[in-house]
Amino acid sequence: MEQENLSSRYRRPVEMGEIGPLVARGRTPSGGHRKGQSTDAGHRDGPACSSDEGPVMGLEPRGRAGQVDQRSTPSGEELKERPKQKVKSFDVPKRLVFEAWEKVQANKGAPGVDAVSIAEFARAERDNLYKLWNRMSSGSYFPGPVRAVEIPKDHGAGVRTLGVPNTVDRVSQTAAAMLLEEKLEPIFHPDSYGYRPGRSAHDALGVTRKRCWAQDWVLDIDVRSFFDSVPHDLLLKAVAHHTDERWVLLYIERWLKAPMQMRDGTLIARDKGTPQGSPVSPVLANLFMHYAFDRWIDREFPGCPWERYADDIVAHCDTEEQARNLRSAIASRSGPWVSSYTLTRPGSCFVKTRTDRGMRSMSASISSVTPLGGAWHVVGVATS
């Protein structure tokens, strides 16, 4: 009795010549008709059934391991999983890289250290742009050194060193600059004119001319060697405040630290400054000066309108006392941080007033300038 109640899967195999009542009537145990039903299958691990056979204990359920879906492929082979598409570390739009390349082509320019000209880069445009995009997207892009080029300054006041990046680095920098300009242009001050679309030095001079007739005193500030002395840490903090694109922050840091190759092949490491001549430098300089000067003077001296073209600044004052107070405020902002962030360079301030007898000026020499936090700090001012 106990054996009769056991599950059907443990029943003995059907002996040869022994046919069950359902099979005798041409039906399978599941109720379906089977022509030539096999009776020698044995238990579930027995010999495989032919195409017209079913297992003795009924049809096997769908989806069991090892069962081939005949509908999957014409040959009856199992479908293989499609390889998952690799996800890039950074989402760098291809369209942005291409538009940056078009802008670099339009601006022309000399080759960098690798001597690859724009024309040579364009011969393999598709491959070069894809390689650049792929490396920027994966985080494996590293800029090359910048080529140092010396040009004479105006009025014979020495030479200015420009940093010329490789063509491929110009494309990548232009892409980042385009992305930053889109976010930063709306916040930049209307009296900032340097390196901004739709603005020029002539626009700044026109506004200066009008304001000189409204206010008698002018404080003219020329911050020299600004591009060579911007602190990297403060600049990167300012960039991080306005973008959450990790690839922009990563590559700006790499561009800032890329060494400069001199004419004799010597590589000079850089721990401060952003080289003049690179596409991303102007927007970075404006961003730093936005916090270093523009917002500070608006907050502290709202009655002193000003114009700024890059690092050349003119501020207008109503009285000599107001002009002197502004000059003193700029000088006193260094505080105790001078020893940490002092950037020494030559410079000059001029306080001018218009009188019936012509222009009268008083000058003060700036022995050092310290960019700190949200303002430029002038140290060691000596009046003449």
Side-chain angles (χ1 to χ4, degrees):
M1 178 67 69
E2 183 178 355
Q3 290 184 352
E4 294 178 0
N5 294 331
L6 291 176
S7 173
S8 60
R9 62 178 177 172
Y10 293 107
R11 294 175 184 173
R12 66 182 177 82
V14 179
E15 299 292 343
M16 290 295 294
E18 192 175 343
I19 303 175
L22 291 177
V23 176
R25 291 195 296 270
R27 300 179 63 189
T28 65
S30 61
H33 289 273
R34 281 290 178 182
K35 186 177 179 180
Q37 176 70 49
S38 173
T39 59
D40 59 350
H43 56 80
R44 60 187 297 179
D45 294 325
C49 301
S50 65
S51 59
D52 291 333
E53 293 178 340
V56 175
M57 299 311 300
L59 294 176
E60 296 178 354
R62 294 181 180 178
R64 65 174 291 182
Q67 187 176 2
V68 178
D69 185 357
Q70 299 294 339
R71 297 170 299 173
S72 58
T73 60
S75 61
E77 297 179 356
E78 293 187 37
L79 285 174
K80 296 182 179 180
E81 293 184 3
R82 295 181 179 179
K84 295 182 179 180
Q85 188 176 3
K86 294 183 179 180
V87 179
K88 297 292 186 181
S89 300
F90 304 114
D91 182 16
V92 181
K94 290 183 179 179
R95 172 59 60 180
L96 178 65
V97 176
F98 181 73
E99 290 176 355
W101 160 239
E102 289 184 319
K103 197 170 183 179
V104 170
Q105 272 189 305
N107 292 336
K108 300 181 180 180
V113 172
D114 61 359
V116 177
S117 65
I118 292 179
E120 185 177 351
F121 189 92
R123 293 191 192 103
E125 174 185 293
R126 185 182 181 89
D127 291 340
N128 288 332
L129 292 180
Y130 177 78
K131 289 178 183 178
L132 174 61
W133 169 83
N134 190 42
R135 291 171 181 172
M136 292 180 68
S137 300
S138 62
S140 60
Y141 163 71
F142 287 88
V146 294
R147 181 168 64 92
V149 177
E150 294 182 346
I151 60 174
K153 292 184 179 181
D154 297 335
H155 311 296
V159 295
R160 176 181 290 107
T161 302
L162 303 181
V164 180
N166 296 330
T167 300
V168 65
D169 298 329
R170 289 176 60 190
V171 176
S172 60
Q173 288 190 28
T174 302
M178 292 169 61
L179 197 66
L180 284 177
E181 283 178 356
E182 183 179 350
K183 296 184 177 182
L184 296 178
E185 270 300 313
I187 71 164
F188 280 161
H189 200 283
D191 285 323
S192 170
Y193 295 90
Y195 310 114
R196 295 183 62 186
R199 293 168 174 262
S200 67
H202 293 286
D203 298 328
L205 290 174
V207 175
T208 301
R209 186 177 297 110
K210 292 180 180 179
R211 288 175 175 171
C212 281
W213 288 103
Q215 292 173 287
D216 290 340
W217 290 80
V218 172
L219 183 64
D220 183 5
I221 306 170
D222 182 16
V223 182
R224 300 185 186 277
S225 301
F226 166 71
F227 284 94
D228 299 330
S229 51
V230 176
H232 290 171
D233 55 345
L234 297 181
L235 187 56
L236 290 172
K237 287 180 181 178
V239 174
H241 183 69
H242 291 282
T243 182
D244 54 1
E245 295 287 352
R246 295 184 297 120
W247 67 271
V248 174
L249 291 171
L250 174 65
Y251 296 135
I252 284 180
E253 183 175 6
R254 291 180 183 177
W255 291 322
L256 292 175
K257 294 182 178 180
M260 180 171 289
Q261 181 170 313
M262 309 306 292
R263 174 178 285 184
D264 59 359
T266 304
L267 291 178
I268 299 179
R270 296 187 297 120
D271 56 2
K272 60 183 179 180
T274 174
Q276 284 184 276
S278 65
V280 77
S281 289
V283 67
L284 294 181
N286 273 332
L287 176 60
F288 188 83
M289 290 298 290
H290 174 74
Y291 289 103
F293 180 83
D294 302 356
R295 294 185 62 179
W296 170 79
I297 192 172
D298 271 2
R299 183 179 65 251
E300 300 296 330
F301 293 88
C304 298
W306 52 273
E307 303 82 40
R308 180 175 65 82
Y309 189 90
D311 52 359
D312 293 322
I313 307 166
V314 172
H316 304 265
C317 302
D318 292 320
T319 64
E320 179 182 358
E321 181 181 3
Q322 188 181 41
R324 290 184 179 277
N325 290 339
L326 176 58
R327 187 182 63 183
S328 299
I330 295 175
S332 64
R333 287 184 61 79
S334 59
W337 299 94
V338 175
S339 59
S340 300
Y341 299 103
T342 299
L343 302 174
T344 303
R345 63 175 71 99
S348 61
C349 288
F350 299 94
V351 180
K352 302 178 181 179
T353 181
R354 187 179 67 253
T355 65
D356 294 337
R357 294 175 294 177
M359 295 295 295
R360 181 182 49 166
S361 66
M362 294 178 292
S363 64
S365 63
I366 301 178
S367 60
S368 61
V369 180
T370 303
L372 175 67
W376 276 99
H377 306 287
V378 183
V379 186
V381 176
T383 59
S384 59

